[in-house]
Amino acid sequence: MTGLVLSGLQFGYGDRRLIDGLDLAFPEPGLTALVGPNGAGKSTCLQLAAGLLTPVRGQVVLNGDRLADLSPRVRARKIGYLPPDGRSAWPMAVEAVVALGRAPWRKPLRQLSEADQAAVDEAMRLTQTRHLSGRRLDTLSSGEMARVLIGRALAGQGDVLILDEPTAALDIRHQLGVMEILADAARQGRHVLVAIHTLELAARYADRVVVLEAGRVRADGAPQAALSEDLVREVFGIRAPGGVRPTPLSVEAD
C-alpha cells in the first residue's frame, strides 16, 4: 500500500504502555487531526509516525519502505516534523530559519542550490512570511513564529507533514491562519497529520479525525462522525449537544 501505514504499534516505558496495538493507514493525501485528552498518546503516535521513536512491536511504512530501514537523512527528506512548542529564541533571520528545512538535501557547508532556494521561496509564499525574511526569529510574535516554523517544515518538500500542537498558545485568529496553511498543504497533495486540542478546529479543517484514548483508536472517520455527541461526552467528559461542529469564523489578511 502506498502512503503512510502504522501497523500493530506498541510503545511504552517500562511497565507503562503509551501506545497499545495501534493500526492506522493514510493511503491518500489529506489533513488528519489527532485529538484526545491529555495522556491519550497523541504526541507518541506522531513521533512513531515520524520515525523518531522505535516501536516495541509493529512497524511504520511509507510508500512501501519501512522507516526503520531508512537513514535519518533519507527519512527527513520524506517527512517534515514540527515538535510541540516549536517556538525558538534563535537570533537568526527568518529566511535562514526556513532554509534549515533544506538541510536533508544539502551537502555540509554548501550554499543553497537553485532548487533549495526555490523550495524556500515556495514555503515562504505558502506561509505568507516573505515580508519577514530579514527579521530575526526571536523578534516575531507567536503567530508569525508559528508560520515561519511551518515554513521550515514545508521547505523540506516531504510527502508527509507531521505537527504536534502547532496552534498551542496562539489566539484564535492565528490558529485559523495556521490551519488554513495546513489545509492548503493537504490540498496540494501532502499527508498532513496534526495533533490538536481544539475540537472545533479539527471539525472545521480536518478531512479525517482520529480520536485516541489510552493509546488506542477510539474513533476514526469524518469529523462529524468521529466527534459525535456521545463520543465527546465519553472520551472528553464534556457535553456537546449534536456533536462538535465547525465554528463559523474566517481569517482576514493583514
Side-chain angles (χ1 to χ4, degrees):
M1 178 184 289
T2 58
L4 183 66
V5 181
L6 286 61
S7 302
L9 296 186
Q10 290 186 1
F11 183 84
Y13 297 102
D15 295 333
R16 185 186 177 202
R17 185 166 292 178
L18 302 178
I19 296 294
D20 190 11
L22 189 69
D23 292 295
L24 288 170
F26 306 91
E28 301 294 336
L31 175 55
T32 300
L34 270 65
V35 303
N38 288 338
K42 300 185 296 297
S43 293
T44 303
C45 177
L46 292 184
Q47 290 179 68
L48 288 166
L52 299 176
L53 293 176
T54 301
V56 175
R57 292 184 181 177
Q59 64 179 0
V60 180
V61 176
L62 177 59
N63 295 330
D65 296 321
R66 294 176 67 247
L67 291 191
D69 296 334
L70 303 178
S71 69
R73 185 179 183 87
V74 170
R75 189 173 63 236
R77 290 181 176 183
K78 298 175 179 291
I79 301 173
Y81 174 75
L82 184 63
D85 195 19
R87 291 169 295 175
S88 172
W90 298 336
M92 294 176 61
V94 162
E95 185 166 359
V97 172
V98 176
L100 292 175
R102 297 303 297 171
W105 299 94
R106 297 168 61 188
K107 294 182 179 180
L109 305 179
R110 294 291 181 88
Q111 297 293 322
L112 292 176
S113 67
E114 290 186 8
D116 292 329
Q117 188 62 57
V120 170
D121 290 342
E122 176 65 4
M124 297 185 76
R125 183 189 70 80
L126 291 171
T127 54
Q128 300 178 26
T129 53
R130 171 52 65 189
H131 66 291
L132 302 171
S133 61
R135 291 269 304 276
R136 280 184 14 177
L137 185 69
D138 57 346
T139 68
L140 303 183
S141 70
S142 294
E144 291 169 335
M145 190 178 295
R147 299 207 314 271
V148 170
L149 295 177
I150 292 171
R152 183 186 66 182
L154 287 171
Q157 297 184 314
D159 292 333
V160 178
L161 189 61
I162 296 176
L163 308 98
D164 196 347
E165 294 291 345
T167 61
L170 300 182
D171 61 35
I172 185 61
R173 178 174 176 273
H174 286 107
Q175 288 180 19
L176 293 171
V178 164
M179 295 306 294
E180 293 280 0
I181 292 169
L182 301 184
D184 188 53
R187 286 190 291 267
Q188 293 190 13
R190 283 185 169 95
H191 301 271
V192 180
L193 280 64
V194 54
I196 191 168
H197 274 299
T198 307
L199 301 183
E200 291 84 357
L201 288 178
R204 179 180 180 85
Y205 287 100
D207 302 302
R208 173 183 174 187
V209 172
V210 175
V211 181
L212 295 181
E213 184 181 28
R216 294 176 177 268
V217 175
R218 181 63 186 272
D220 181 2
Q224 290 189 1
L227 297 174
S228 67
E229 180 177 355
D230 288 345
L231 186 135
V232 169
R233 182 181 64 252
E234 294 170 8
V235 174
F236 297 93
I238 59 176
R239 186 169 178 268
V244 179
R245 296 291 181 267
T247 54
L249 300 170
S250 61
V251 62
E252 296 182 356
D254 289 332

